[in-house]
C-alpha cells in the first residue's frame, strides 16, 4: 500500500493522468498533453475499492478497472485458487497425478511456492473446463475456505459512483484462443451486460485476458469486442499508445518498480517508445 501511494503521488506530481475516454479523444485530435498516462487495474480485486480508491481520491486521479464478472460477490480468480489452496493444504506431499500433474513435496514455504508456479504455468493455457478441474481438485484437497478477495456488486457500484471507469474483462478470464467462438462471444458480450446492470452506466472499454495478440486473442475476438459495443480494447503489449494504433489493439505498460527513480524512468522511457 505504501508503494502504491508513492506511485500515485509521483504520477500526480510529475505526469498528466487522464481518464481513458479523454486520452482517446486526445489521441484522435492530436492534442495529447506531455507525459500523459492512464491508470488501469485488471480482474477486480477488492483492494482496489478498499485501498486504492481512497488514495486515488486523495490525489484526484482517474482510473479504470477491468472487471472479471464471474468473481463478483465471492468468486476467486483461478490463479488465486491455486495459490491459496496449495498454501492451505494440510499435508506435506501433494499428489496431483490424477489430473495430469505430478507428486510434489510441500513441506516448506519454498517448495509450496515452487509448486504454485508449476501448477499455474501448467493451467494457464488450458480451456476453462480443464482449469476448473484442477482448481476444484486443489480446493477439495485444501479442505479450507478460500479468502474472498474480489469486488462485490456494491463495491463496483461505489467505484463507478466515485468516477472510476468500469471496463469489461470477460466473465471467467479465459484465454480467448482456447475457447470456441460461441463461448468467447458470450464471455465478451455477457460480461459487458452484467457490468452495465451493476453500474447502471455504459461499459465502454475492454481488456483482453492475458492480452498477448495472436496468442491470447486474434482478429475474431477483436470483431467480437466491436460487435459487443465496446469503443476500444487494450492488450498487454508494452509501449505508448499513439494516434496510429488501432483502437482495439491499444498497448498498456506495467511499471511495477519499487524504486521511485526506476518507476519514473521506466514510464518516461516507455512514453518515448523505448524499453528499459
Amino acid at each position: 500500500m505504501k508503494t502504491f501511494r508513492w506511485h500515485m503521488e509521483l504520477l500526480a506530481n510529475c505526469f498528466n493522468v487522464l481518464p481513458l475516454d479523454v486520452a482517446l479523444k486526445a489521441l484522435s485530435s492530436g492534442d495529447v498533453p506531455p507525459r500523459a498516462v492512464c491508470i488501469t487495474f485488471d480482474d477486480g480485486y477488492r483492494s482496489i475499492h478498499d485501498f486504492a480508491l481512497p488514495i486515488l481520491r486523495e490525489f484526484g486521479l482517474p482510473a479504470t478497472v477491468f472487471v472479471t464478472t464471474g468473481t463478483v460477490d465471492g468468486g476467486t480468480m483461478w490463479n488465486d485458487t491455486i495459490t491459496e489452496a496449495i498454501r492451505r493444504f494440510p499435508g506435506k506431499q501433494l499428489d496431483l497425478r490424477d489430473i495430469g500433474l505430478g507428486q510434489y513435496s510441500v513441506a516448506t514455504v519454498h517448495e509450496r511456492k515452487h509448486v504454485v508456479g508449476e501448477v499455474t504455468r501448467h493451467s494457464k493455457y488450458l480451456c476453462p473446463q480443464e482449469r476448473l478441474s484442477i482448481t476444484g481438485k486443489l480446493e477439495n484437497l485444501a479442505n479450507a475456505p478460500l479468502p474472498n478477495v474480489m469486488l462485490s456488486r456494491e463495491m463496483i457500484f461505489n467505484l463507478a459512483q466515485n468516477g472510476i471507469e468500469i471496463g469489461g474483462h470477460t466473465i471467467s478470464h479465459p484465454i480467448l484462443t482456447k475457447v470456441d467462438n460461441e463461448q468467447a462471444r458470450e464471455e465478451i458480450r455477457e460480461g459487458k451486460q452484467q457490468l452495465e446492470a451493476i453500474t447502471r452506466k455504459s461499459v465502454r472499454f475492454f481488456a483482453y485476458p492475458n492480452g498477448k495478440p495472436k496468442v491470447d486473442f486474434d482478429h475474431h475476438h477483436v470483431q467480437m469486442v466491436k460487435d459487443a459495443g465496446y469503443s476500444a480494447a487494450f492488450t498487454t503489449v508494452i509501449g505508448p499508445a499513439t494516434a496510429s494504433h488501432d483502437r482495439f489493439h491499444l498497448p498498456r505498460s506495467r511499471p511495477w518498480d519499487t524504486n521511485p527513480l526506476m518507476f519514473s524512468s521506466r514510464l518516461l522511457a516507455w512514453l518515448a517508445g523505448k524499453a528499459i
Side-chain angles (χ1 to χ4, degrees):
M1 186 171 172
K2 289 181 180 178
T3 299
F4 179 75
R5 191 180 188 283
W6 69 249
H7 276 171
M8 296 303 102
E9 185 174 14
L10 189 150
L11 289 179
N13 291 336
C14 303
F15 291 81
N16 286 299
V17 183
L18 305 178
L20 277 185
D21 61 333
V22 173
L24 291 173
K25 289 175 184 175
L27 278 179
S28 298
S29 67
D31 193 28
V32 180
R35 302 181 308 284
V37 298
C38 298
I39 299 168
T40 66
F41 304 86
D42 280 8
D43 303 334
Y45 288 90
R46 64 173 48 217
S47 58
I48 300 166
H49 178 274
D50 293 345
F51 302 122
L53 179 59
I55 294 171
L56 292 168
R57 293 183 65 184
E58 177 185 352
F59 293 110
L61 297 175
T64 299
V65 181
F66 294 107
V67 177
T68 301
T69 58
T71 64
V72 174
D73 282 333
T76 308
M77 292 291 291
W78 67 269
N79 53 312
D80 292 328
T81 300
I82 291 171
T83 300
E84 294 299 330
I86 292 174
R87 187 164 76 88
R88 286 166 167 73
F89 177 66
K92 294 184 178 181
Q93 289 288 325
L94 180 60
D95 190 349
L96 300 177
R97 288 175 293 182
D98 60 338
I99 52 173
L101 290 161
Q103 187 172 18
Y104 307 95
S105 172
V106 288
T108 68
V109 171
H110 176 77
E111 288 177 335
R112 290 183 187 238
K113 286 181 178 180
H114 173 74
V115 176
V116 166
E118 287 286 309
V119 178
T120 300
R121 282 188 291 273
H122 173 83
S123 305
K124 189 168 192 175
Y125 282 93
L126 296 177
C127 71
Q129 291 78 12
E130 291 174 309
R131 280 197 325 212
L132 188 62
S133 174
I134 290 173
T135 56
K137 167 79 171 183
L138 288 169
E139 281 190 84
N140 288 336
L141 289 173
N143 194 29
L146 302 183
N148 179 12
V149 297
M150 309 307 290
L151 291 168
S152 67
R153 294 173 64 91
E154 290 76 16
M155 289 175 174
I156 295 170
F157 180 76
N158 191 46
L159 287 169
Q161 291 300 109
N162 278 275
I164 303 299
E165 182 96 29
I166 303 298
H169 201 38
T170 71
I171 298 171
S172 65
H173 204 279
I175 302 297
L176 292 169
T177 53
K178 297 299 181 180
V179 299
D180 62 42
N181 284 343
E182 182 178 352
Q183 184 176 353
R185 189 173 293 107
E186 181 180 352
E187 288 271 351
I188 292 165
R189 183 185 62 243
E190 294 297 322
K192 182 178 191 292
Q193 293 175 355
Q194 290 170 8
L195 290 172
E196 288 176 337
I198 294 170
T199 62
R200 304 172 202 168
K201 296 182 179 182
S202 176
V203 172
R204 301 178 289 178
F205 307 120
F206 181 81
Y208 302 101
N210 214 49
K212 294 185 179 69
K214 299 182 181 179
V215 177
D216 304 322
F217 71 96
D218 60 27
H219 66 281
H220 297 101
H221 307 112
V222 173
Q223 188 59 51
M224 293 175 195
V225 172
K226 293 178 181 178
D227 292 344
Y230 285 103
S231 301
F234 295 82
T235 71
T236 55
V237 174
I238 291 175
T242 66
S244 64
H245 275 102
D246 184 315
R247 292 297 181 265
F248 291 86
H249 280 87
L250 291 166
R252 282 190 301 162
S253 302
R254 302 178 301 283
W256 291 330
D257 300 279
T258 57
N259 175 281
L261 178 60
M262 280 303 301
F263 177 75
S264 55
S265 297
R266 194 182 305 277
L267 272 178
L268 291 169
W270 282 340
L271 288 173
K274 300 176 182 178
I276 61 171

